Amino acid sequence: MADPTTARPPLSTSGRSTRDLIRGLADVDWRRYVIYIAFVAVFVLFAVLLRDDGFLSQGNLLNIFRQTATITVIAVGMTYVIACAEIDLSVGSVAGLASVCSAMAIAHWGLMAGILAGLAVGVVVGTINGGLVSRLGIPSFLVTLGMLGIAAGVAQWITHSAPQPILNDTFNLIFGGGDFGPIPGLLVWMAAFVVVGAVVLNRTRFGRQVVATGGSRTAAEFTGIDTRRIKFQVLLISATVASVAGMLYAGRLQSGRFQWGSGDELSAIAAVILGGTSLFGGRGAVIGTLFGALLIGLINNGLILAGLESSQQQVVRGVIIILAVALARKK
Amino acid sequence: MSAVVELRGIRKSFDSVPVLLGVDFEVGYGEVHALAGGNGAGKSTLMKILQGVYTKDAGEILVSGTPVAFSSVDDAKAAGIGMVFQEFSLVPSLTVAQNLYLTAEKRNRVGMISDRDSRDRGRRIFADLEVEVDIDAVVGDLSTAYWQLTEIAKAVAQNAQVLILDEPTASLARNEVDALFGLIGRLKGRGISIIYISHRMDEIYRIADRITILRDGRSLFTRRLDEVTPAEIVEGIIGRPDDGALSYRERESSAGTDVLLEAITLYSGTRVRGVSFQLRAGEILGIAGLMGSGRSELARCLFGIDRIDSGELRMHGRRIDVRNPRDAQRAGIALIPEDRREQGLVLEHSVTDNLLLPVLDTIRRGPFLDTRSGRRLSRTLIERFAIKAGDADQPVRRLSGGNQQKVVIAKWLGTRPEVLIMDEPTAGVDIGTKGEIVAMIRRLADAGGAVIVISSEFPELLAVSDRVLVLRNGAVADELARAAIPDEESLQLAVQGL
């Protein structure tokens, strides 16, 4: 729990009665940590119930991480956006577009061009999203909803809906295909994003400004924070991070495809909110986001092992997410 | 006295509507300078120009004698001008220490900020100011008073030379006001100047050295407070001699004998603990009490916002169940809430839409709203309550505070309630409008309605009430007939429980 802004229970305020204080602490203790409690509870539940289905095998556990990695990366960027009281619905299709642009550039011009092309997708989309939101004041919900369609459409259009194979082994190795000894490369990517994301959000002036802007835009503005710039930057970060996630899809699956990442925005948002970031901004927790994503991955994995059909999985997953958020809700 | 800040001939228009027409204003080193004027006189605009939020159209700003041009809040802050905002400028989700040094945090070589350093420096500032605040508390969990002290400390932490306090006591209890004034004294001692904006005459006399009065966008006069009488100030603000609206008058028709509303040992939440009272038709019942005494909570449960846990409410002797505001409205109860911007108005909607919101049912023709009769009703209300809204279709947000309050009152009176509850009806309202609101309350009672007035401003409470209930710790501690209260001081003592 590295996040000082969310993990600290509100301490006593002179003038409140001890009873309020105790009640306050009682409230906070479990609500703030509900994601960790839920994670452990679900893990233990599956460990017991799915003992014979290989849930606890090293292979399966690494699998959970592997399947969760890209969502986690996207969700780290999303944490910034939501902590800033904005939303980015375009991340899933940005990942898809980045995967195909990267794949096509590799086929034509090689490795470096491929990586740059993938990143360029994020930077361009992020600049457009951020510019429209911060300069023209259009709500991010609408801008990124539009961009969701545009990015997905472009990805499908330029590839004529065909998968773009990636034959460059180095690329596939770097972006998620390879392993570092027993540790999957994807896990390293995930860890890097989480660590950098958590440190920047909690321990840098920029991170503090993001949270302040989301907490009270007026207050931030009067404190001298350029809140338009902050809003621009978080949307730029989110799209760029999503484009990296797109390349992770491409590397792992050795191809670029417009469907990669499709629907990920909703999983990412769910992970962020489960992790304790306030949907209304002002509070952000990257470590929480990691566990939010892991919980979703855990549930997916467990339900598959339990032999549920994908339709049933969706229902159970939905119920668990609503339940967790309801429990974590601040009255 | 040399001036730390001097404004000369400031002019400002919005959309070609002139708001400031040449204002002169100066503040000396270590001076507390009161700034007074009616709603719409231009106080906020002037202060926002000094703050760098708005840019002036014409005129000069001098800081320590040097002309400056502010084009942003940062410029003003760099010149040492700090504002303690009426609409507070702290981020509720951050701690006190994090707020104090927001964007001014100390950073190490790799750019990581240190909360520990903010805490240490913050503690020292609070110790210097002799204020006790938990530096690690999340600001959103603090009471208004601490919120405000944090706000002041933040300005001091940023080396502000001039603090602008806008209605700082609006939601403070008496002892908190004393603490604030003590703090202002210490700030003065450190050579920090304070611009003190307030409608409260007693505070101005208590704390300020000089006063400048604005009227209609011009500075009317600047005088030392020991050379100006309250009557001169009031006349300066409202532009005519005080008509005594705020002093007690015998009611034209005395309260009836029928009990209209009766509360029997009401309990609600933790703040209302066994309140009983009777309210007669045509009566104005004042409710006094400290912050946290359960004043507002009583109003909330009478209007069905908070649940009544036990006890009984009777209207005309018949038991009524008030589980939500709709029930209350149906029973003939209306509430004018404490915070008009948050609870009383839809700020972005037009004056007409706001006025008609509670009475939509009455202006229906079949399933459709009858816009014509709606407009007629809204026009009548605007006239009857003398609401200054150039255009009934403009958003309520653009009206001055006093006129917004009149819209809230008019909106609820449009429902023709039998019992009207008003929570702090004159907070943040200028003295002219205050008089109008007091007159409105009297007229309403004279017409047979019953009114409950909750107020922390004793002069107005004493001006209108037939009877005053004193709440303490959620229960009725005292019930005083108006005639039994000789002066403000004795009511003050009753409220404090002395």
Side-chain angles (χ1 to χ4, degrees):
Chain A
M1 274 143 262
D3 184 349
T5 56
T6 65
R8 197 199 326 282
L11 297 175
S12 81
T13 60
S14 339
R16 276 208 290 170
S17 76
T18 342
R19 212 181 53 183
D20 285 1
L21 179 69
I22 292 167
R23 195 185 310 138
L25 284 174
D27 273 358
V28 163
D29 267 336
W30 68 275
R31 278 207 190 120
R32 289 255 162 108
Y33 305 133
V34 100
I35 180 61
Y36 307 103
I37 297 170
F39 180 80
V40 171
V42 171
F43 188 90
V44 170
L45 186 76
F46 284 165
V48 173
L49 292 179
L50 302 172
R51 199 174 42 232
D52 303 328
D53 299 297
F55 175 77
L56 284 175
S57 72
Q58 193 196 5
N60 188 54
L61 293 182
L62 284 180
N63 235 345
I64 294 177
F65 276 109
R66 226 178 258 127
Q67 283 157 356
T68 313
T70 36
I71 294 285
T72 308
V73 169
I74 293 176
V76 167
M78 186 71 82
T79 307
Y80 282 73
V81 181
I82 295 181
C84 193
E86 299 290 338
I87 196 85
D88 187 348
L89 299 174
S90 65
V91 285
S93 26
V94 168
L97 182 59
S99 79
V100 301
C101 286
S102 201
M104 291 166 90
I106 291 170
H108 283 90
W109 302 293
L111 176 67
M112 276 318 288
I115 297 175
L116 289 177
L119 283 175
V121 166
V123 171
V124 169
V125 172
T127 304
I128 297 172
N129 283 348
L132 289 173
V133 170
S134 66
R135 299 296 137 181
L136 298 187
I138 309 175
S140 54
F141 185 92
L142 297 176
V143 169
T144 58
L145 182 64
M147 189 55 79
L148 182 158
I150 294 171
V154 169
Q156 196 169 353
W157 190 4
I158 58 176
T159 59
H160 307 290
S161 308
Q164 307 294 310
I166 299 176
L167 305 172
N168 186 315
D169 289 338
T170 320
F171 182 89
N172 292 338
L173 203 67
I174 299 173
F175 287 95
D179 292 334
F180 289 84
I183 304 166
L186 273 175
L187 214 141
V188 176
W189 278 101
M190 177 169 97
F193 270 91
V194 168
V195 168
V196 172
V199 169
V200 170
L201 189 62
N202 297 326
R203 296 296 306 275
T204 66
R205 198 171 281 177
F206 169 72
R208 191 58 58 74
Q209 290 177 341
V210 168
V211 177
T213 302
S216 164
R217 187 166 186 182
T218 326
E221 192 67 43
F222 281 125
T223 307
I225 296 171
D226 185 346
T227 57
R228 291 203 302 183
R229 205 187 69 210
I230 298 289
K231 289 193 182 277
F232 177 85
Q233 287 168 335
V234 294
L235 286 162
L236 179 59
I237 288 174
S238 160
T240 307
V241 168
S243 70
V244 175
M247 289 191 280
L248 292 176
Y249 273 119
R252 177 160 63 105
L253 302 162
Q254 307 190 355
S255 64
R257 220 172 157 164
F258 74 91
Q259 292 104 323
W260 293 166
S262 154
D264 280 4
E265 59 278 352
L266 297 182
S267 308
I269 292 169
V272 171
I273 302 303
L274 279 174
T277 296
S278 166
L279 187 52
F280 307 104
R283 208 163 353 104
V286 172
I287 304 294
T289 295
L290 167 66
F291 278 85
L294 284 176
L295 177 65
I296 295 175
L298 197 63
I299 294 168
N300 287 342
N301 179 274
L303 296 181
I304 292 169
L305 288 185
L308 264 64
E309 287 173 28
S310 79
S311 54
Q312 295 166 321
Q313 289 172 29
Q314 287 185 42
V315 174
V316 176
R317 194 166 51 216
V319 169
I320 293 181
I321 289 173
I322 292 174
L323 206 67
V325 174
L327 287 175
R329 175 182 55 134
K330 208 175 168 188
K331 177 83 180 87
Chain B
M1 199 185 292
S2 58
V4 57
V5 167
E6 195 176 346
L7 300 168
R8 285 189 197 149
I10 302 290
R11 289 169 174 276
K12 177 75 183 172
S13 305
F14 291 103
D15 306 330
S16 78
V17 180
V19 175
L20 297 179
L21 303 141
V23 173
D24 299 317
F25 180 67
E26 56 152 51
V27 190
Y29 287 99
E31 181 193 26
V32 177
H33 196 129
L35 181 61
N39 294 127
K43 289 175 311 210
S44 339
T45 309
L46 185 68
M47 287 304 107
K48 281 186 177 152
I49 286 172
L50 182 55
Q51 239 343 79
V53 178
Y54 298 153
T55 46
K56 57 189 175 358
D57 295 343
E60 261 191 309
I61 303 177
L62 293 89
V63 173
S64 304
T66 322
V68 290
F70 294 158
S71 57
S72 74
V73 179
D74 280 347
D75 291 351
K77 207 175 283 168
I81 294 171
M83 172 112 175
V84 176
F85 293 90
Q86 190 173 18
E87 279 153 46
F88 298 112
S89 76
L90 301 176
V91 179
S93 54
L94 298 179
T95 68
V96 171
Q98 288 170 342
N99 264 296
L100 285 187
Y101 292 100
L102 187 57
T103 75
E105 300 94 350
K106 196 173 169 196
R107 290 187 286 194
N108 65 12
R109 266 164 315 167
V110 291
M112 300 223 302
I113 55 179
S114 160
D115 273 334
R116 185 178 310 150
D117 172 73
S118 303
R119 281 209 292 277
D120 291 346
R121 284 194 289 164
R123 267 201 207 97
R124 244 171 289 147
I125 285 193
F126 282 115
D128 270 4
L129 298 176
E130 298 170 39
V131 172
E132 265 187 53
V133 171
D134 178 357
I135 202 106
D136 292 317
V138 173
V139 166
D141 296 335
L142 294 177
S143 71
T144 318
Y146 283 102
W147 194 306
Q148 197 161 43
L149 294 173
T150 305
E151 186 98 41
I152 292 172
K154 178 175 171 181
V156 172
Q158 294 168 350
N159 295 319
Q161 284 309 302
V162 181
L163 291 187
I164 304 166
L165 301 181
D166 194 349
E167 294 279 354
T169 58
S171 45
L172 299 189
R174 176 59 76 105
N175 58 335
E176 294 168 336
V177 172
D178 291 341
L180 176 69
F181 283 5
L183 174 58
I184 290 177
R186 288 191 288 279
L187 292 171
K188 263 181 84 163
R190 301 172 68 165
I192 293 174
S193 313
I194 287 161
I195 300 173
Y196 193 89
I197 302 175
S198 178
H199 293 304
R200 297 187 180 179
M201 208 61 72
D202 54 329
E203 289 176 3
I204 292 176
Y205 271 95
R206 202 170 140 197
I207 195 80
D209 302 308
R210 286 192 295 171
I211 184 167
T212 292
I213 294 195
L214 294 190
R215 192 167 78 211
D216 303 329
R218 289 176 215 277
S219 35
L220 202 63
F221 62 74
T222 299
R223 304 266 286 274
R224 294 189 52 81
L225 276 158
D226 44 22
E227 293 165 355
V228 63
T229 65
E232 286 172 295
I233 294 178
V234 171
E235 187 173 343
I237 293 171
I238 61 181
R240 57 188 149 76
D242 181 15
D243 54 5
L246 282 174
S247 49
Y248 181 66
R249 269 205 312 257
E250 281 294 322
R251 293 272 309 285
E252 281 163 32
S253 59
S254 55
T257 48
D258 305 347
V259 173
L260 190 57
L261 178 74
E262 185 173 15
I264 304 164
T265 54
L266 289 183
Y267 280 83
S268 168
T270 54
R271 288 282 174 77
V272 178
R273 299 192 288 213
V275 174
S276 306
F277 65 87
Q278 293 186 332
L279 180 67
R280 284 167 298 157
E283 187 183 33
I284 304 175
L285 177 66
I287 294 186
L290 298 171
M291 283 283 278
S293 62
R295 306 185 302 217
S296 299
E297 290 79 2
L298 175 62
R300 290 167 60 90
C301 84
L302 290 176
F303 192 59
I305 299 171
D306 293 343
R307 212 179 56 191
I308 296 175
D309 297 326
S310 71
E312 202 175 307
L313 263 186
R314 287 188 190 159
M315 192 88 172
H316 295 295
R318 273 207 344 257
R319 184 189 172 125
I320 52 169
D321 268 336
V322 175
R323 274 172 311 230
N324 54 48
R326 290 178 303 285
D327 288 345
Q329 230 178 305
R330 233 173 281 133
I333 302 172
L335 169 70
I336 290 166
E338 190 178 2
D339 180 349
R340 60 178 164 261
R341 294 173 68 91
E342 280 287 322
Q343 301 163 347
L345 294 169
V346 185
L347 286 174
E348 294 302 321
H349 288 186
S350 73
V351 176
T352 298
D353 287 348
N354 270 288
L355 285 172
L356 297 183
L357 197 55
V359 293
L360 289 176
D361 273 349
T362 64
I363 52 164
R364 234 172 24 184
R365 216 168 32 195
F368 302 108
L369 291 179
D370 181 352
T371 29
R372 187 129 27 103
S373 76
R375 280 186 181 284
R376 213 177 311 124
L377 179 56
S378 130
R379 246 196 324 270
T380 321
L381 289 171
I382 288 174
E383 249 165 60
R384 203 168 105 211
F385 292 95
I387 297 165
K388 276 182 221 134
D391 171 6
D393 290 324
Q394 68 173 324
V396 139
R397 177 171 47 82
R398 295 227 194 105
L399 267 51
S400 69
N403 280 304
Q404 287 181 357
Q405 183 67 332
K406 286 196 220 166
V407 171
V408 180
I409 295 175
K411 163 182 158 182
W412 285 110
L413 291 190
T415 67
R416 303 180 181 284
E418 286 182 275
V419 175
L420 180 68
I421 307 166
M422 305 172 106
D423 195 359
E424 299 290 353
T426 62
V429 161
D430 71 64
I431 199 156
T433 312
K434 232 177 234 181
E436 288 179 52
I437 291 175
V438 164
M440 222 178 260
I441 298 173
R442 285 192 185 125
R443 273 203 307 275
L444 195 70
D446 287 341
V451 187
I452 297 177
V453 179
I454 299 170
S455 179
S456 53
E457 290 186 50
F458 295 144
E460 76 177 37
L461 208 52
L462 291 176
V464 295
S465 310
D466 297 319
R467 199 154 51 99
V468 177
L469 286 189
V470 176
L471 289 191
R472 211 177 301 137
N473 298 326
V476 178
D478 229 335
E479 183 183 331
L480 306 163
R482 175 61 184 91
I485 310 171
D487 51 26
E488 237 182 284
E489 202 55 35
S490 54
L491 179 57
Q492 181 69 49
L493 292 176
V495 163
Q496 304 271 3
L498 300 172

